Amino acid sequence: MKLGDLLVSRNKVSVRDIERALIAQQEMGGYIGRVLVQLGLVSELDVAEALSEQLGLALVAAADYPEEPLEIKGLATDFLFNRQVAPLAQTEDVLRFAAVLPQDPFIRKALQLATGCQVELCLGLESDINAALQRYLGQEDDTEVGPGDQYAGDEEFIEHLRDLASEAPVIRLVNQIIHRALDLGASDVHVEPFEDGLHLRYRVDGVIQLAQDPPSASLAPAIASRIKLLANLNIAERRLPQDGRIMTRVKGHELDLRVSTIPTVHGESIVMRVLDRQSIRLSLESMGFSTDTLQRYTDLLHRPHGVLLLTGPTGSGKTTTLYASLSTLDSSALKIITVEDPVEYQLNGVNQIQVKSEIELTFARALRSILRQDPDIIMIGEMRDTETAQIAVQSALTGHLVLSTLHTNTAAGAITRLEDMGIERFLITSAVNGVLAQRLVRTLCRHCRREVELSPRAIEDAGLRRWLAPGHNRIYSGEGCEHCKSTGYTGRTAIHELFVLDSEMHKAILSGADATTLHAASRQRGMLTLYEDGLRKVAAGITSLEEVLRVTQDQSEEVELLDQVS
């Protein structure tokens, strides 16, 4: 069977997808399998498995590549990279290689002529072969030459970087880094040069993981240059921070990468924030809200005017919750305008404005203009300064519903933060409807979670008694398995703390109460803290006590409670 027919029979692609790929193949050239992958219609692994069946060749697993590079005379590293071939094993008269395109007759002939040996070719994934070649290159070249030692001037060095960034090995390596981020479900990719080499780290479910096979330190300038070229940044500027954006399609997923570069003593440190548009769940019901919290939050969201704030640290899902909130509103009957930096997701029927500081289109300036656009609802990506906060409050007082985010640790802390930004307390009580604090906790892997029995004292000290059914003293903990990459967790959900400004809270705020007093008063009126909402999810088996403690408690409290539980 043809490769396309094999993929269709396996339900990996449709007949229409094959037709599109054949049209693209006529323009791009190359093998149909690679065209399908480049178009994002099918994954590399799916094509490799089908190709393995078609060619009758073994598909080499990542673990089958040698840890130590094979020394084979007559083989140039450039040839291995350009042809995507990695040596696997060597006997007296037979050499075994993994190749992305083992069906290419030139590869076998060239390897036989260069080595003088019989050659056996297997099929390998491009990402696995590149990783093996990086290990080979990293151990082959232990010496590192500084740019100042090899190139006379900056212009010559910049031109050299541009050439390096355009070479196939570097292009494949950067693509491999991005593909790996998608496979891991990473939210951020960190490429960091240090004295001991180049570190590659991924943030998965809020926790940073170190990549096992980082690229060679000698490739750091080329990698940085390639990423900067993709993000339309100034490749010649290495002394100042820069921000950019990469829009790409990987394995059928539309990825939006927000790129930040910053100079360090060992080179440019780069962070790519990964936004996978296909994985976005713009639904409040799917964001971990407890039933009672969701009901009260929805009531606030449907008020005709006022300010509704979301608080939490960077990466706690505030913006996603704002988008999910807007998606529940009827954009056909309401005029909704947003001011964002950057616009992360595009919503149907919503007017979205991108802040551009280089032309002085700031949050405050955009807000002043959109009030003349007759909006019903205004969403502000973040309240960053006094002027923005004042315009938001004035907008709420003149009949608009304003949604925004603020950086505070607790919901009640948002009140004192607004006061610090110059908003009078009587204006806060008149304008603000409520504040939602949010954190993200990892959810337990369903394949390996196990029950843990707690002592009565541990249950009382942790505050779990009110959430566990009578007579129950068991919760769940993550064991770690192949499905969760031995972490015990897969995915994340949110925990919430909703501070509603009712008449009693208005009295407390006007009396000059600080954040601690407001927090305590709100708890007396039934507000559940982030920790308590987390305990509900612990009792329900959604997450673990360790995870809730990690996110909500300080380190001393966490150690003390975990000692009691264990």
Side-chain angles (χ1 to χ4, degrees):
M1 294 179 68
K2 293 182 179 180
L3 182 63
D5 296 334
L6 271 173
L7 290 168
V8 171
S9 67
R10 295 180 172 202
N11 295 320
K12 301 299 182 183
V13 293
S14 66
V15 175
R16 176 58 183 155
D17 289 335
I18 297 298
E19 292 173 353
R20 290 169 55 196
L22 288 172
I23 294 172
Q25 186 186 28
Q26 293 176 356
E27 300 178 1
M28 300 163 57
Y31 291 92
I32 186 66
R34 305 202 76 182
V35 173
L36 285 165
V37 173
Q38 289 169 354
L39 291 176
L41 298 172
V42 68
S43 73
E44 181 188 5
L45 179 60
D46 289 336
V47 170
E49 289 174 344
L51 192 60
S52 174
E53 178 182 336
Q54 185 195 41
L55 300 176
L57 295 178
L59 177 59
V60 182
D64 294 334
Y65 291 86
E67 289 296 326
E68 298 294 328
L70 298 176
E71 295 185 6
I72 301 174
K73 293 182 179 179
L75 275 184
T77 304
D78 286 346
F79 173 81
L80 296 177
F81 267 108
N82 292 332
R83 291 293 172 175
Q84 294 177 287
V85 179
L88 294 174
Q90 181 178 21
T91 60
E92 291 184 1
D93 55 353
V94 177
L95 289 172
R96 189 163 175 257
F97 293 88
V100 174
L101 299 173
Q103 68 270 41
D104 187 345
F106 171 79
I107 292 177
R108 183 186 299 273
K109 187 174 181 179
L111 289 171
Q112 287 176 342
L113 289 174
T115 62
C117 297
Q118 188 67 26
V119 170
E120 178 186 341
L121 290 179
C122 300
L123 180 63
L125 291 178
E126 182 177 353
S127 55
D128 293 340
I129 289 175
N130 284 337
L133 291 176
Q134 286 306 319
R135 289 200 298 272
Y136 182 90
L137 181 63
Q139 297 183 33
E140 181 186 71
D141 183 14
D142 291 332
T143 60
E144 187 174 337
V145 180
D149 299 331
Q150 190 173 357
Y151 304 100
D154 280 347
E155 291 185 8
E156 186 178 349
F157 180 59
I158 294 301
E159 193 59 37
H160 174 73
L161 286 181
R162 195 180 298 276
D163 292 340
L164 277 180
S166 303
E167 290 182 358
V170 175
I171 292 174
R172 283 195 295 270
L173 179 55
V174 172
N175 289 343
Q176 178 187 337
I177 291 172
I178 295 173
H179 283 222
R180 181 64 174 161
L182 178 63
D183 292 340
L184 290 172
S187 61
D188 300 89
V189 182
H190 299 252
V191 184
E192 305 162 313
F194 288 101
E195 189 175 3
D196 61 345
L198 186 65
H199 292 195
L200 176 61
R201 302 194 293 172
Y202 297 91
R203 187 179 294 278
V204 181
D205 292 337
V207 178
I208 283 196
Q209 299 179 3
L210 187 65
Q212 294 181 347
D213 299 309
S216 168
S218 61
L219 292 174
I223 292 171
S225 298
R226 175 62 185 169
I227 294 173
K228 289 165 72 174
L229 282 175
L230 290 173
N232 294 316
L233 300 179
N234 183 0
I235 193 174
E237 181 55 76
R238 293 169 289 149
R239 302 165 300 169
L240 296 173
Q242 295 188 70
D243 295 300
R245 193 172 189 176
I246 302 173
M247 303 290 289
T248 185
R249 187 175 177 86
V250 177
K251 299 180 182 179
H253 294 251
E254 290 186 8
L255 293 188
D256 182 357
L257 306 175
R258 299 215 303 268
V259 179
S260 170
T261 72
I262 194 165
T264 70
V265 293
H266 298 293
E268 283 186 290
S269 175
I270 297 177
V271 176
M272 292 185 285
R273 169 65 61 87
V274 183
L275 266 166
D276 181 1
R277 296 181 181 274
Q278 279 192 215
S279 66
I280 299 306
R281 299 169 300 173
L282 295 182
S283 164
L284 288 175
E285 289 76 12
S286 65
M287 302 196 67
F289 277 94
S290 301
T291 305
D292 55 344
T293 305
L294 178 59
Q295 180 60 52
R296 289 186 293 138
Y297 178 74
T298 305
D299 291 343
L300 294 176
L301 189 60
H302 286 88
R303 290 191 182 181
H305 54 79
V307 177
L308 181 55
L309 296 172
L310 271 73
T311 72
T314 301
S316 60
K318 300 187 301 296
T319 304
T320 305
T321 300
L322 276 182
Y323 277 109
S325 302
L326 290 180
S327 69
T328 65
L329 302 171
D330 185 1
S331 60
S332 62
L334 297 167
K335 174 80 168 185
I336 304 175
I337 303 181
T338 73
V339 187
E340 308 168 61
D341 185 21
V343 174
E344 295 186 0
Y345 319 121
Q346 295 181 12
L347 301 175
N348 289 330
V350 176
N351 299 275
Q352 296 173 269
I353 301 172
Q354 167 74 55
V355 169
K356 295 180 181 178
S357 55
E358 62 271 17
I359 58 172
E360 297 184 2
L361 180 57
T362 61
F363 279 103
R365 185 170 182 177
L367 281 172
R368 286 195 298 269
S369 298
I370 65 176
L371 288 176
R372 294 190 288 272
Q373 291 279 313
D374 187 32
D376 297 298
I377 298 171
I378 301 168
M379 192 269 269
I380 307 168
E382 182 184 343
M383 282 193 187
R384 296 182 179 177
D385 52 51
T386 298
E387 188 176 6
T388 302
Q390 288 175 339
I391 297 173
V393 168
Q394 292 298 329
S395 301
L397 293 174
T398 54
H400 304 88
L401 179 63
V402 180
L403 310 180
S404 187
T405 68
L406 205 59
H407 284 288
T408 60
N409 290 327
T410 64
I415 304 303
T416 54
R417 178 77 182 99
L418 287 174
E419 189 178 17
D420 292 340
M421 295 173 75
I423 308 300
E424 299 289 345
R425 288 200 170 221
F426 72 90
L427 289 176
I428 294 174
T429 57
S430 301
V432 180
N433 294 334
V435 185
L436 181 75
Q438 177 171 301
R439 300 288 189 278
L440 294 178
V441 294
R442 293 178 293 173
T443 53
L444 288 168
C445 174
R446 293 288 176 175
H447 296 91
C448 66
R449 68 172 189 170
R450 59 180 176 85
E451 285 189 337
V452 178
E453 186 172 343
L454 302 182
S455 66
R457 182 190 170 192
I459 292 174
E460 293 298 333
D461 289 344
L464 274 165
R465 174 55 61 203
R466 64 183 289 198
W467 309 114
L468 290 172
H472 285 256
N473 63 344
R474 294 176 182 272
I475 59 175
Y476 288 91
S477 181
E479 185 90 345
C481 66
E482 60 179 8
H483 296 93
C484 60
K485 298 179 177 63
S486 301
T487 63
Y489 302 92
T490 54
R492 288 189 290 179
T493 190
I495 55 176
H496 302 95
E497 176 180 293
L498 183 59
F499 178 80
V500 179
L501 275 73
D502 56 15
S503 58
E504 292 299 320
M505 287 301 104
H506 288 168
K507 293 177 183 177
I509 292 170
L510 292 173
S511 69
D514 59 15
T516 304
T517 305
L518 292 174
H519 183 79
S522 188
R523 286 195 64 189
Q524 290 177 356
R525 297 186 59 77
M527 182 187 79
L528 294 180
T529 65
L530 288 165
Y531 178 63
E532 289 168 333
D533 192 40
L535 290 181
R536 284 204 282 194
K537 292 178 170 59
V538 171
I542 297 172
T543 188
S544 68
L545 182 59
E546 294 90 345
E547 179 67 7
V548 173
L549 290 170
R550 181 184 71 85
V551 171
T552 62
Q553 305 291 312
D554 65 40
Q555 195 168 3
S556 60
E557 291 174 318
E558 179 177 343
V559 171
E560 182 180 349
L561 277 170
L562 288 179
D563 285 344
Q564 294 175 16
V565 170
S566 59

